[in-house]
Amino acid sequence: MDLLLKGGWVVTAARVEQADVAIKGEKIAAVGPDLAAPGAVVRDVTGKYILPGAIDAHVHYQMPTGDLLTADDWFTGTRLAACGGVTTVIDYAEPASPGESLTEALTKRLEEARDQACVDYGLHQVVMPGQEEDEAELRAVVEKGVTSFKVFTTYAQRLSLAAISHLLQQARRLGALVTVHCEDHEIITAKREELIAAGQTDPAYHAASRPAEAEVKAIRDVIALAGEAGAPVYIVHVSTGGGAEAIAAARSKGQQVYGETCPHYLLLTESQYTGPDSRLFLMCPPLRTAADNESLWRHLAAGALQVVATDHCSYSRVQKAAGTAFYNTPSGVPGTETLLPLLYSFGVRNGWLTLPQLVRVLSTNPARLFGLYPRKGSLRPGSDADVVIFDPRRQVTLTAANLHSAAGYTVFEGFHLQGYPEATYLRGWLIYDQGCFLGQAGQGRFIPGRV
Ligand code: URP
Ligand code: ZN
Ligand code: ZN
């Protein structure tokens, strides 16, 4: 045995128990009371939680949009992940031009990540208009370990509902999961034109420009298509109570619909758009109301939403400052590093989630949905030894100066937390310990998903 974590509380998707964890090489070797491990390094974790590493299933590291690139690249993005107890991230392979094939885009993205990533990673494949027709390419991507497709109902890369329906059918045959950014393009376009005509273009109008009904309608449309296709579907970054309710209603009828939300939709409201730093809070879909926050917590607690991810998309302070209107301010915020501690402080400590639920929404469910389980998202013997030692007593006030994103800000500045990751192990390697990053570029591996 190489490492013995002794005296902690082991938290899994099913239970919390006082137990030791033994690690041999890169794998969990044993979990149980009073383990003996002659020759192993022993770490006393009395009073701490031992959690499976968190999975941030929605990140955009070094993402190009026009002439801009998000501030966190594969190195800084995955370094900050390690510092926040996140041991696997799932980013996107997106064709850069209409002519680029899915497999070309995937090869390029894997190449970008290979020598830079400090934690393990998977990819979702973005499917551009027309590419849903190419069964051979879709199949090739799945065979390379990318088992989820991503499409948009808005933005330039949007697919028509007919095209999304076609992709859902292809995905069902391949055993892949279609993930969808849901905002109705017609509603957003009409609203945007109305606001521009009225001279209401300040970033303060961002939430008004992308109303809740745009998300709810798109979610309902996509759920209907998935039902007709008999295919599972996953809705990314649900921001509205209405969207969560549509997912819950479909699930209660037995449909395989999954929903993800993000800490900013659980904890922040559109009131941020009236402040001086409104641009920093601009992301799509926008922040909503306190009633939406509460509804999202309720649906997460009830299991109607299964995943919390961050949509880490770190346009920097400087890039954001160049925005003069809601439609030209770079959209997206950093988040991976604060995912686990925010969900613990505001989810578990506020009574919305139990500790096993925390593990489910941050580790086990994304691992299962994206074909990584039980290698990831589990502490059972044979799983990768991706482990977080979490100190439930440590008090931290979040501030960008103590975080590691190149964005230079956090939308959770000043939030008081109780409970913070103390150490992170990636496949048995200590990559973060008490404030110090100890990992290295290239240490992270691509983890192929399996259908
Ligand atoms: O504003 C956001 N969320 N930017 C990232 C891209 C996306 O829509 O997820
Ligand atoms: Zn999106
Ligand atoms: Zn995103």
Side-chain angles (χ1 to χ4, degrees):
M1 223 49 70
D2 299 323
L3 173 67
L4 185 63
L5 304 172
K6 214 164 177 43
W9 292 92
V10 173
V11 186
T12 65
R15 65 186 66 85
V16 184
E17 59 184 335
Q18 194 154 32
D20 302 338
V21 175
I23 293 169
K24 174 95 182 134
E26 297 198 334
K27 301 286 181 187
I28 303 286
V31 178
D34 303 320
L35 294 181
V41 171
V42 178
R43 180 174 185 138
D44 179 0
V45 293
T46 304
K48 313 282 164 61
Y49 295 130
I50 304 174
L51 311 172
I55 297 173
D56 189 347
H58 187 157
V59 304
H60 304 275
Y61 299 142
Q62 62 191 69
M63 184 179 85
T65 313
D67 351 323
L68 295 180
L69 196 61
T70 51
D72 287 311
D73 57 20
W74 277 98
F75 174 66
T76 64
T78 53
R79 179 180 62 182
L80 66 85
C83 299
V86 172
T87 49
T88 304
V89 295
I90 313 184
D91 203 301
Y92 293 85
E94 177 161 358
S97 62
E100 190 168 67
S101 74
L102 299 180
T103 44
E104 281 165 343
L106 174 55
T107 304
K108 276 213 287 213
R109 199 68 172 143
L110 287 170
E111 184 63 25
E112 275 174 17
R114 200 187 57 209
D115 296 332
Q116 296 302 313
C118 312
V119 301
D120 287 349
Y121 52 96
L123 291 171
H124 308 285
Q125 179 70 55
V126 176
V127 176
M128 305 295 246
Q131 293 181 313
E132 76 283 353
E133 302 279 351
D134 196 339
E135 188 177 345
E137 274 283 296
L138 296 169
R139 183 181 302 281
V141 161
V142 172
E143 282 167 1
K144 287 175 193 292
V146 174
T147 60
S148 42
F149 303 129
K150 166 78 175 284
V151 293
F152 299 84
T153 61
T154 187
Y155 296 154
Q157 57 282 53
R158 70 188 173 278
L159 263 61
S160 66
L161 291 182
I164 293 175
S165 170
H166 192 70
L167 181 67
L168 283 159
Q169 292 166 45
Q170 300 261 36
R172 176 174 47 76
R173 286 192 285 273
L174 294 168
L177 180 62
V178 177
T179 74
V180 192
H181 170 128
C182 286
E183 288 181 289
D184 184 84
H185 189 66
E186 281 66 42
I187 295 179
I188 293 174
T189 307
K191 205 70 202 163
R192 172 191 168 116
E193 281 167 10
E194 187 187 311
L195 288 165
I196 292 173
Q200 296 174 327
T201 59
D202 189 87
Y205 292 98
H206 177 58
S209 77
R210 307 180 87 95
E213 57 267 28
E215 176 174 280
V216 177
K217 177 176 188 306
I219 290 178
R220 286 198 187 127
D221 288 346
V222 165
I223 289 175
L225 296 178
E228 282 157 24
V233 71
Y234 177 99
I235 313 297
V236 300
H237 53 43
V238 177
S239 65
T240 56
E245 263 151 42
I247 293 169
R251 288 175 63 81
S252 72
K253 292 184 199 135
Q255 205 180 325
Q256 269 182 285
V257 181
Y258 304 99
E260 162 201 290
T261 190
C262 307
H264 42 271
Y265 300 126
L266 291 164
L267 295 169
L268 302 173
T269 68
E270 62 194 7
S271 64
Q272 298 293 346
Y273 296 124
T274 55
D277 275 339
S278 58
R279 287 167 184 75
L280 300 186
F281 294 85
L282 196 144
M283 82 290 285
C284 299
L287 300 171
R288 308 293 185 183
T289 65
D292 290 295
N293 298 154
E294 182 168 339
S295 176
L296 292 170
W297 278 119
R298 218 166 7 86
H299 284 98
L300 190 65
L305 299 172
Q306 296 73 38
V307 174
V308 183
T310 69
D311 196 9
H312 185 106
C313 182
S314 59
Y315 289 109
S316 68
R317 232 175 214 292
V318 175
Q319 290 170 321
K320 291 265 192 182
T324 55
F326 65 77
Y327 53 79
N328 66 13
T329 300
S331 167
V333 299
T336 303
E337 189 169 4
T338 49
L339 171 66
L340 167 59
L342 283 169
L343 259 279
Y344 177 77
S345 274
F346 295 97
V348 176
R349 284 182 54 79
N350 282 357
W352 288 112
L353 302 176
T354 63
L355 281 164
Q357 278 180 305
L358 177 79
V359 164
R360 272 179 252 155
V361 300
L362 294 185
S363 295
T364 312
N365 291 348
R368 283 186 189 278
L369 287 164
F370 299 114
L372 307 176
Y373 188 85
R375 180 168 179 186
K376 303 293 186 189
S378 162
L379 289 177
R380 69 189 205 194
S383 294
D384 280 358
D386 295 345
V387 179
V388 179
I389 309 301
F390 191 88
D391 182 349
R393 274 175 298 279
R394 177 141 175 247
Q395 310 230 10
V396 169
T397 300
L398 290 178
T399 177
N402 294 339
L403 295 170
H404 299 82
S405 172
Y409 69 95
T410 168
V411 290
F412 303 105
E413 184 73 33
F415 271 53
H416 299 291
L417 307 185
Q418 181 170 332
Y420 212 79
E422 173 183 292
T424 307
Y425 292 88
L426 173 72
R427 286 180 273 102
W429 300 94
L430 183 59
I431 57 169
Y432 170 79
D433 201 4
Q434 295 168 88
C436 297
F437 172 70
L438 302 171
Q440 15 179 322
Q443 197 168 6
R445 288 194 198 135
F446 174 62
I447 309 295
R450 296 191 199 297
V451 290

